[in-house]
Amino acid sequence: MSSGSGRARASGWPGGSGDQMRLMAKVALMYYERGARQTDIAQELHVSQSKVSRLLARAAEVGIVRTTVTVPAGVHTGLEEVLEHKFGLREAVVVDVSGGESEVTPALGSGLASYLEATLTGGEVVGISSWSATLLAAAAAMRRSTGTVVDRVMQIVGGVGESRVQVQASRLISLFADATGAEPVFMPAPGLVGSSSARQVLVDDAAVAAVMESWDGLTTALVGIGSLQPSELLRESGNAVAERDQVELRAAGAVGDICLRYFDAHGVEVRSDFDDRVVGIAGAQFRSIPRRVGVAGGLRKHDAILGALRGQWLNVLVTDVEEAERLVGEP
């Protein structure tokens, strides 16, 4: 707060007589610049505390007191607001990090962890994608809550993969459950199979069907945003998209995916035979989840992030400052 006073006449200040202005200015100086309590001001000036409160309110109305907000270094509130307005987001979180993926990934994980700690307040049913290094970093960074802030957390794309890497998918959901007090629900199937008939056998299984039916109750989804070239974690899991599938998807205009559901530069879902082999949440069902939080950054992911935003796959985005600036610069 800043305050100003002088020997101005009533005609110069649209708020009352010169005596009233003098008293308003004096009260403002005592309260904002000297840090005096309203009760102490009332006693010193021999007025009621309610009058002190009214004088402070009036001082703000007529411009004797002006509020100034100073944004701390490393906080990008203005950039977040532009992103929210441009893409119709509920919230954007811009993390103050730049550089390669090795620097960006852990920082985005920490940013997402902080966002979740502040916004998970109880009664949530959370769906989470299985093969995201950034989500794994977020789950590892989350502090354990004092109570249960999530009822259940479940995988929304197959979580079974190559045994050496399978531990990562299991660790992701276990860490998140431990931090939030949630009951973990694992998906006992791979994310991608070799044929539509193999997928049908899996989804007919009672354990798999039970998990898939529970997706209708999700209140929040936490997902990474994939580029057409699979991430290292997905590639090592055995659930990666084969080169022949990449060629087909690229020819159809695919630029990225969420839970192995691919979309083009406008965010429109790309339909192909590939979809019939995915054991995971469908695109339309995913987009019906009330809060859909995506985390991704870096130049390699730009087209995928932009497509996801244009197609309204997400309503919350966590990204790095350089990617945020690229996004707001898009036509």
Side-chain angles (χ1 to χ4, degrees), residues 171-186:
R171 182 168 176 256
L172 167 57
I173 197 168
S174 296
L175 283 170
F176 186 88
D178 186 56
T180 61
E183 173 194 352
V185 179
F186 296 91

Side-chain angles (χ1 to χ4, degrees), residues 14 24 40 53 78 120 172 191 197 206 208 233 242 248 285 312:
M24 273 191 274
D40 295 334
S53 181
L120 291 173
L172 167 57
S197 58
V208 174
L233 185 59
E248 179 183 355
Q285 186 178 20
Q312 298 185 320

Side-chain angles (χ1 to χ4, degrees), residues 146-164:
T146 55
T148 298
V149 295
V150 173
D151 291 343
R152 285 181 295 163
V153 55
M154 60 189 69
Q155 292 170 322
I156 54 176
V157 65
V160 174
E162 201 275 332
S163 58
R164 183 177 57 85

Side-chain angles (χ1 to χ4, degrees), residues 24-157:
M24 273 191 274
K26 187 167 187 176
V27 168
L29 283 167
M30 294 174 71
Y31 185 73
Y32 290 113
E33 295 193 3
R34 299 178 193 170
R37 296 179 302 175
Q38 291 189 25
T39 51
D40 295 334
I41 296 170
Q43 184 176 0
E44 183 173 338
L45 299 182
H46 303 287
V47 297
S48 66
Q49 184 176 341
S50 60
K51 184 169 184 176
V52 171
S53 181
R54 289 196 301 271
L55 287 167
L56 288 170
R58 187 61 178 150
E61 291 174 6
V62 302
I64 291 175
V65 174
R66 295 181 176 87
T67 302
T68 302
V69 177
T70 302
V71 178
V75 176
H76 302 280
T77 308
L79 189 54
E80 291 171 348
E81 289 181 351
V82 175
L83 275 174
E84 290 161 5
H85 178 74
K86 183 180 180 72
F87 294 106
L89 294 170
R90 176 189 294 187
E91 191 160 6
V93 179
V94 176
V95 179
D96 190 43
V97 63
S98 59
E101 290 188 34
S102 59
E103 293 83 25
V104 169
T105 295
L108 292 183
S110 295
L112 177 57
S114 297
Y115 168 76
L116 293 174
E117 288 167 2
T119 61
L120 291 173
T121 57
E124 294 264 17
V125 180
V126 175
I128 195 164
S129 56
S130 304
W131 308 103
S132 169
T134 313
L135 287 180
L136 183 58
M142 289 180 70
R143 295 171 297 182
R144 182 178 295 183
S145 61
T146 55
T148 298
V149 295
V150 173
D151 291 343
R152 285 181 295 163
V153 55
M154 60 189 69
Q155 292 170 322
I156 54 176
V157 65

Side-chain angles (χ1 to χ4, degrees), residues 235-294:
R235 186 166 55 249
E236 291 179 352
S237 75
N239 291 279
V241 181
E243 182 60 36
R244 64 180 182 278
D245 291 320
Q246 290 185 46
V247 171
E248 179 183 355
L249 288 164
R250 188 176 291 109
V255 298
D257 80 284
I258 288 176
C259 295
L260 296 177
R261 302 301 182 182
Y262 281 85
F263 47 81
D264 65 17
H266 302 288
V268 177
E269 194 166 357
V270 172
R271 300 290 185 181
S272 70
D273 293 339
F274 178 86
D275 283 317
D276 297 331
R277 294 158 44 210
V278 174
V279 185
I281 193 166
Q285 186 178 20
F286 176 83
R287 290 193 296 274
S288 71
I289 299 170
R291 180 166 62 154
R292 304 177 303 281
V293 183

